[in-house]
Amino acid sequence: MSRAQLALNVDDLEAAVEFYSKLFATAPAKRRDGYANFAVAEPPLKRVLFEQPGKGGTINHLGVEVESTELVGAAQARLAGAGLATAVEDGVACCYARQDKVWVEGPSGEPWEIYTVLEDVEMPAGPAADGGPRHRGGVLRRRGRGGRGTAGSAACC
């Protein structure tokens, strides 16, 4: 099953979890300090929340979760074939999971990822290795157009 992902920055994680639990009639699938995600069945949606006081209500990043690494590779080939710059990351650990993914940027610089979750992992430093979410745009500028990343290199979630 594929599903859209919408990752938001929130001022107050507890208040956001309470609201989205009610809105989607589901509890978080994963909770960590400053982080929560919801696997919403209907409509198919992955809702991710990052506690970022002062930045509440802003988009962190957008994405599509797919079922396999093969589908990530197919998406990368399709996007590159359509002339879009991509940044590939294999086995990256972020958002408390190991993932394979490809990043592209929308026309206004909004970061999009197409990814698959390989396994859950614990991350004592938080959702990203540098202590905070790294998907705030500029993914391709940081990685280089069409570049391949390594675990923990450019962006996550």
Side-chain angles (χ1 to χ4, degrees):
M1 170 194 73
S2 294
R3 60 183 164 197
Q5 174 183 291
L6 177 57
L8 290 180
N9 296 315
V10 299
D11 290 319
D12 181 336
L13 185 63
E14 294 305 317
V17 165
E18 182 178 350
F19 172 79
Y20 288 109
S21 294
K22 292 175 183 175
L23 180 65
F24 294 115
T26 189
K30 191 179 293 185
R31 279 291 300 267
R32 301 293 189 275
D33 187 40
Y35 175 88
N37 82 39
F38 293 80
V40 180
E42 191 58 40
L45 175 70
K46 179 73 149 294
R47 159 68 77 204
V48 180
L49 304 173
F50 293 100
E51 190 167 39
Q52 298 285 319
K55 296 180 182 170
T58 61
I59 291 176
N60 189 284
H61 68 284
L62 304 159
V64 177
E65 182 179 12
V66 296
E67 296 172 330
S68 69
T69 296
E70 291 76 21
L71 291 173
V72 172
Q76 190 281 330
R78 179 180 58 78
L79 295 166
L84 296 176
T86 62
V88 174
E89 293 189 310
D90 296 323
V92 66
C94 67
C95 298
Y96 305 97
R98 186 160 318 282
Q99 305 169 8
D100 286 342
K101 62 180 70 189
V102 59
W103 288 94
V104 296
E105 288 181 353
S108 296
E110 64 277 12
W112 278 88
E113 66 175 335
I114 298 174
Y115 70 100
T116 191
V117 173
L118 304 172
E119 66 179 337
D120 285 342
V121 297
E122 289 305 315
M123 303 183 70
D130 64 3
R134 290 174 274 168
H135 1 70
R136 293 192 185 91
V139 171
L140 299 175
R141 285 184 293 281
R142 286 194 302 269
R143 281 297 310 128
R145 303 231 172 235
R148 291 189 71 83
T150 57
S153 65
C156 87
C157 214

